[in-house]
């Protein structure tokens, strides 16, 4: 491939990619679903081949870009016009926390683990699962969160506690899927005996029955029991 051909391929690839991305719209970036993500990768890959692969003719490259863009636009139209098709193409939002209770089946369905859920909550300035009323995992991979009514407008006065009460800088996870996190307990100057006493007071016979538990800032224990205990 000589220099002039390379410059020509780069120019054509740039112009076609620019036009195609403008035609496909801003949804490719601002509301990217899994299909949008795959589509963006495919368009970029076709453009790269158009520029660098001399065995890939300019004509075929342009046709491939236009064809892929056309299919993407058709899928977008179907997504807009048909609710049933939209569920097939982009899926449906999944409620992973409902009325303060973690929905384990929904977590598995969305392939979301506890650490990822807590990280997404922190991005929403929520540092304790106890503060969450509802959390919905959206089709674009983002988490929508509704706090409990009494946690929606917390000020410094609300957070003040008695001087003799033990307080912590933030909520700390101490049980994950029936397993005690001893290191976290130690950081709080607590032990397994304290945890077992708290569980017994809450009517929980064994730590194996706990899906998630965390020590709150005020020293109390928030417990989320496994779903099988509710049936």
């Amino acid at each position: 491939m000589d220099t002039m051909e390379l410059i020509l391929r780069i120019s054509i690839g740039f112009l076609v990619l620019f036009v195609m991305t403008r035609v496909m719209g801003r949804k490719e970036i601002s509301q990217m679903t899994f299909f949008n993500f795959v589509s963006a990768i495919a368009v970029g890959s076709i453009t790269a081949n158009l520029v660098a692969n001399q065995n890939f003719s300019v004509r075929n490259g342009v046709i491939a870009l236009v064809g892929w863009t056309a299919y993407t636009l058709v899928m977008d139209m179907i997504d807009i016009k048909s609710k049933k098709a939209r569920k097939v193409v982009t899926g449906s939002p999944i409620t992973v926390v409902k009325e303060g209770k973690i929905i384990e089946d929904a977590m598995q369905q969305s392939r979301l683990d506890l650490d990822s859920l807590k990280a997404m909550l922190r991005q929403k300035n929520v540092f304790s699962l106890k503060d969450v009323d509802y959390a919905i995992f959206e089709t674009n991979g983002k988490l929508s969160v509704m706090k409990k009514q009494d946690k929606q407008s917390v000020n410094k006065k609300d957070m003040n506690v008695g001087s003799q009460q033990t307080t912590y800088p933030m909520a700390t996870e101490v049980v994950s899927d029936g397993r005690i996190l001893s290191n976290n307990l130690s950081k709080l100057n607590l032990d397994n005996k304290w945890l077992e006493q708290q569980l017994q007071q809450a009517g929980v016979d064994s730590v194996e029955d706990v899906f998630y538990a965390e020590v709150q800032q005020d020293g109390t224990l928030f417990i989320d029991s496994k779903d099988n205990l509710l049936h």
Side-chain angles (χ1 to χ4, degrees):
M1 184 187 304
D2 57 33
T3 304
M4 290 303 297
E5 182 182 355
L6 178 60
I7 293 174
L8 178 63
R9 283 174 174 270
I10 292 174
S11 301
I12 293 175
F14 177 82
L15 291 173
V16 173
L17 182 61
F18 177 78
V19 172
M20 295 300 100
T21 52
R22 291 295 294 171
V23 169
M24 285 189 290
R26 299 179 182 179
K27 185 178 180 182
E28 293 292 323
I29 298 175
S30 62
Q31 297 176 332
M32 185 174 285
T33 62
F34 179 75
F35 177 77
N36 296 141
F37 177 72
V38 172
S39 178
I41 292 176
V43 169
S45 179
I46 293 170
T47 305
N49 273 284
L50 170 61
V51 172
N53 188 354
Q54 59 182 345
N55 296 322
F56 192 40
S57 69
V58 174
R59 175 177 173 273
N60 288 342
V62 173
I63 291 174
L65 280 172
V66 173
W68 192 275
T69 301
Y71 275 116
T72 302
L73 292 175
V74 169
M75 295 299 291
D76 283 342
M77 289 301 298
I78 293 174
D79 181 65
I80 293 171
K81 297 293 184 180
S82 173
K83 186 175 182 179
K84 291 182 179 180
R86 188 183 311 130
K87 290 183 178 181
V88 175
V89 175
T90 62
S92 301
I94 300 174
T95 301
V96 293
V97 178
K98 181 179 181 181
E99 296 178 348
K101 171 68 180 175
I102 299 173
I103 310 301
E104 296 172 50
D105 291 341
M107 294 276 287
Q108 293 176 2
Q109 181 184 350
S110 58
R111 294 178 177 83
L112 193 65
D113 57 51
L114 276 171
D115 289 338
S116 298
L117 176 61
K118 290 192 296 179
M120 297 175 81
L121 287 173
R122 288 194 293 272
Q123 292 173 359
K124 298 289 186 179
N125 293 321
V126 179
F127 292 89
S128 173
L129 275 165
K130 187 178 181 181
D131 298 342
V132 180
D133 195 12
Y134 281 84
I136 301 173
F137 194 50
E138 305 291 356
T139 56
N140 60 2
K142 295 182 179 179
L143 192 71
S144 298
V145 180
M146 184 175 74
K147 294 182 181 180
K148 293 180 179 178
Q149 190 68 33
D150 59 343
K151 299 294 182 180
Q152 291 183 5
S153 56
V154 179
N155 52 42
K156 290 184 178 179
K157 183 178 179 181
D158 297 327
M159 296 175 65
N160 286 337
V161 293
S163 57
Q164 296 181 349
Q165 187 176 13
T166 302
T167 60
Y168 302 101
M170 64 181 298
T172 303
E173 178 183 11
V174 292
V175 177
S176 177
D177 198 11
R179 182 173 58 89
I180 298 175
L181 305 181
S182 300
N183 288 339
N184 288 357
L185 277 173
S186 299
K187 291 177 183 178
L188 302 176
N189 294 320
L190 300 174
D191 54 24
N192 290 9
K193 183 178 180 180
W194 176 88
L195 179 62
E196 291 171 358
Q197 290 175 345
Q198 296 297 313
L199 292 177
Q200 290 176 0
Q201 290 177 10
V204 179
D205 297 328
S206 171
V207 68
E208 295 179 356
D209 298 333
V210 178
F211 181 66
Y212 178 84
E214 65 181 17
V215 177
Q216 303 295 293
Q217 290 176 285
D218 61 2
T220 59
L221 185 69
F222 167 70
I223 304 170
D224 186 276
S225 301
K226 292 187 176 180
D227 287 343
N228 56 15
L229 296 182
L230 303 178
H231 303 305

